[in-house]
Amino acid sequence: MDEDELQPVVVGSGGVLPGVSVRALRGPAVRRLLALRREGKLTTQHVRTVGETFGVRERAVWRWLAAAEEDESAVPGEVTRYYGRFTVTPDVRALLGLWKGNVAAVHRELTARAARGEGDLPPSVQTLHRAIRRDLSAGERAGLAGGERGARKHDVFLARPRGWRNRVWEADHVQAPVLVEVEGVARRPWVTWFVDCATNTVMGVAVTPGSPSRESVLAALRSAVLREEPFGPQGGLPEKVRVDRGKDFLSRTVAAAFGALVVEVEDLPAYTPHLKGTVEGLNRAVESMFLAALPGYVRQPRPGRRPGRPKDEGLLDFEDFTARLLGWVEWWNTCHLPQPLDGKSPLQAWEADPTPVREVSPDELWTFTLEDDGRIRVVSTRGVRFRRRDYVGPWMTGLAGTGCGCGSCRTTITASRSSTPRPAATWDLRLSRTRRARSRSPRSAPRGPRAVGVCARTSPQLSASAMPR
């Protein structure tokens, strides 16, 4: 309701009714005066009382009565519509959509059609502007000019109930508008995160230097589910996850992961960001509250005609950017006080919720980010060859020459770009060989899986200590 309609009417001799009541009660008042006139009971005091109530003079009420006697269906006090004035027709509306709301272009098109004898001569540009403002709402004008996204800014939306923690999560990818240095090349990293809709808590996040994939989704989901260090204390399994129609979120690997955790996936229609407003609001907040202050911000206004990046501008490396982003996520969860949470931080609101948390132990998720490529690889004396790298593990001792499957995780391999194994992995491998050498009966010692086709993912030691050589 407009504020002008709620303001008291001060026209005439001091009416006190708001505009809505004046328009609604004016007709019944005039019809009552007509009935009194027909019964011969109408007096000047009746007319004067109506005029004082509606804030008009006595002569105006007498004019209302005269107009009502000629046509009782006419609204008293309203100007009768002039049927000769120009109105917006379906053709004019179609031209507005064709010219994206350009009224001058529509006027030129109508004039050209009239010159060819295809229609009447249009009115002036000013009259066309007034007709469009009168006959079309602000949302219709914005939609004809900017499409559905522009029209949606003038719509009214219902707010979902917040519910309880871990009831619904929302997931999304966002490309950070910041250039970072990745192996000597300036790139814009991608961020994948899961957000709890009830408390605005960032449950899990994964940062990738290149385009996101199903591996980044699984890595972010694993960090969101686990509650042990370095994750948590937020975590657990959600009841439902809202995602867009990204092919990585809808891949078979991610669908199998959600299905194994008994999590319902709600696939939203395409180009409907308003249906997952929680994570979209987080995408806007991280840019305005954090990314805009970093070096290499690509949307920074710069002097000159072309918004070029200074050549001497120093960029963050990928590791530094990731550390800063994780620090901001921790600040968001622990220090930020969103208005809907009534003075609580997202983590405080999450921990104050008495809803039980459905947890999963890390031992049950050690293969969560692994994917079997279906190929059988032979264990050599140098380990298992995978993507031009050799991977070793203590469980491989004594299995050289046998075949095994291989589970891969892009995030784990990327983090292990070293030609030297970790000291713990080296010690475990040497200890395994020593125990094998000291065994009196090598044939009776446990040799692990021997059958061809046994997947290496069935051994936790591969994920924990397998390193490239």
Side-chain angles (χ1 to χ4, degrees), residues 177 281-293 297 299 328 332:
L282 180 64
N283 293 340
R284 293 189 297 267
V286 69
E287 179 177 355
S288 61
M289 302 173 64
F290 172 67
L291 299 178
Y297 181 63
R299 298 173 184 169
W328 181 85
W332 173 275

Side-chain angles (χ1 to χ4, degrees), residues 396-408:
M396 298 180 184
T397 302
L399 295 180
T402 61
C404 69
C406 185
S408 64

Side-chain angles (χ1 to χ4, degrees), residues 237-382:
L237 293 177
E239 299 179 14
K240 180 190 295 186
V241 176
R242 294 194 190 103
V243 298
D244 54 15
R245 300 187 65 86
K247 62 180 181 179
D248 41 9
F249 285 110
L250 301 180
S251 63
R252 290 181 296 178
T253 304
V254 177
F258 283 122
L261 299 178
V262 196
V263 176
E264 179 185 356
V265 179
E266 182 180 358
D267 181 20
L268 299 176
Y271 305 106
T272 54
H274 58 284
L275 297 182
K276 50 184 180 70
T278 304
V279 69
E280 292 294 340
L282 180 64
N283 293 340
R284 293 189 297 267
V286 69
E287 179 177 355
S288 61
M289 302 173 64
F290 172 67
L291 299 178
L294 295 181
Y297 181 63
V298 297
R299 298 173 184 169
Q300 185 73 25
R302 307 182 188 278
R305 296 183 178 180
R306 296 184 179 180
R309 184 173 63 89
K311 297 181 179 180
D312 56 347
E313 182 180 12
L315 300 179
L316 299 175
D317 55 8
F318 179 71
E319 291 76 9
D320 191 8
F321 171 80
T322 304
R324 295 193 183 192
L325 179 63
L326 296 180
W328 181 85
V329 170
E330 183 178 359
W331 172 86
W332 173 275
N333 287 339
T334 58
C335 301
H336 182 54
L337 305 178
Q339 183 178 2
L341 299 183
D342 299 330
K344 295 181 181 179
S345 66
L347 186 57
Q348 290 175 346
W350 192 91
E351 293 179 337
D353 195 321
T355 305
V357 179
R358 192 162 52 109
E359 299 187 28
V360 179
S361 64
D363 296 337
E364 297 172 341
L365 290 180
W366 70 269
T367 61
F368 194 70
T369 57
L370 296 180
E371 180 182 2
D372 190 2
D373 60 355
R375 295 178 55 188
I376 302 300
R377 290 174 171 81
V378 178
V379 180
S380 65
T381 56
R382 299 178 60 87

Side-chain angles (χ1 to χ4, degrees), residues 411-439:
T411 54
T412 303
I413 296 176
T414 304
S416 305
R417 297 284 187 181
S418 175
S419 59
T420 304
R422 293 175 299 177
T426 304
W427 173 257
D428 292 340
L429 184 61
R430 291 177 178 176
L431 182 61
S432 176
R433 290 200 303 263
T434 301
R435 289 177 179 176
R436 176 57 186 266
R438 293 179 178 179
S439 177

Side-chain angles (χ1 to χ4, degrees), residues 24-229:
L25 299 177
R26 188 181 294 162
V30 172
R31 287 193 294 268
R32 176 57 180 167
L33 293 177
L34 284 177
L36 291 175
R37 171 177 284 183
R38 291 167 184 171
E39 296 175 1
K41 300 179 181 179
L42 181 62
T43 62
T44 306
Q45 183 60 34
H46 291 147
V47 177
R48 187 178 296 113
T49 301
V50 173
E52 292 176 356
T53 303
F54 289 98
V56 297
R57 297 182 180 181
E58 184 179 342
R59 291 181 301 175
V61 181
W62 288 113
R63 287 195 299 268
W64 293 354
L65 285 172
E69 287 181 349
E70 297 178 0
D71 184 10
E72 293 186 6
S73 62
V75 180
E78 295 290 339
V79 179
T80 305
R81 180 178 177 182
Y82 175 60
Y83 291 97
R85 70 180 180 183
F86 180 80
T87 58
V88 176
T89 61
D91 293 338
V92 175
R93 187 187 294 268
L95 289 177
L96 281 172
L98 177 64
W99 292 102
K100 293 187 177 297
N102 191 336
V103 181
V106 173
H107 186 268
R108 291 193 298 268
E109 182 72 21
L110 292 175
T111 304
R113 290 184 179 183
R116 295 193 301 266
E118 299 178 0
D120 298 333
L121 187 65
S124 62
V125 179
Q126 293 78 7
T127 303
L128 185 58
H129 270 288
R130 286 194 299 267
I132 292 174
R133 288 194 299 266
R134 181 185 62 246
D135 298 341
L136 301 182
S137 63
E140 291 176 325
R141 297 194 300 267
L144 293 174
E148 181 65 23
R149 181 173 297 180
R152 194 180 295 125
K153 296 180 181 179
H154 299 270
D155 292 343
V156 178
F157 299 95
L158 299 176
R160 291 194 183 100
R162 285 194 167 267
W164 53 90
R165 67 179 180 182
N166 290 356
R167 180 176 182 268
V168 179
W169 289 1
E170 291 180 357
D172 194 17
H173 300 303
V174 58
Q175 188 177 21
V178 176
L179 291 174
V180 299
E181 186 175 352
V182 181
E183 297 181 354
V185 181
R187 297 178 179 233
R188 293 176 56 184
W190 284 82
V191 182
T192 304
W193 40 28
F194 288 82
V195 186
D196 181 45
C197 296
T199 60
N200 290 359
T201 306
V202 179
M203 307 301 296
V205 59
V207 187
T208 54
S211 300
S213 59
R214 58 181 181 268
E215 287 87 357
S216 60
V217 175
L218 293 177
L221 182 59
R222 186 176 186 275
S223 65
V225 170
L226 295 179
R227 302 186 64 184
E228 288 75 10
E229 292 294 336

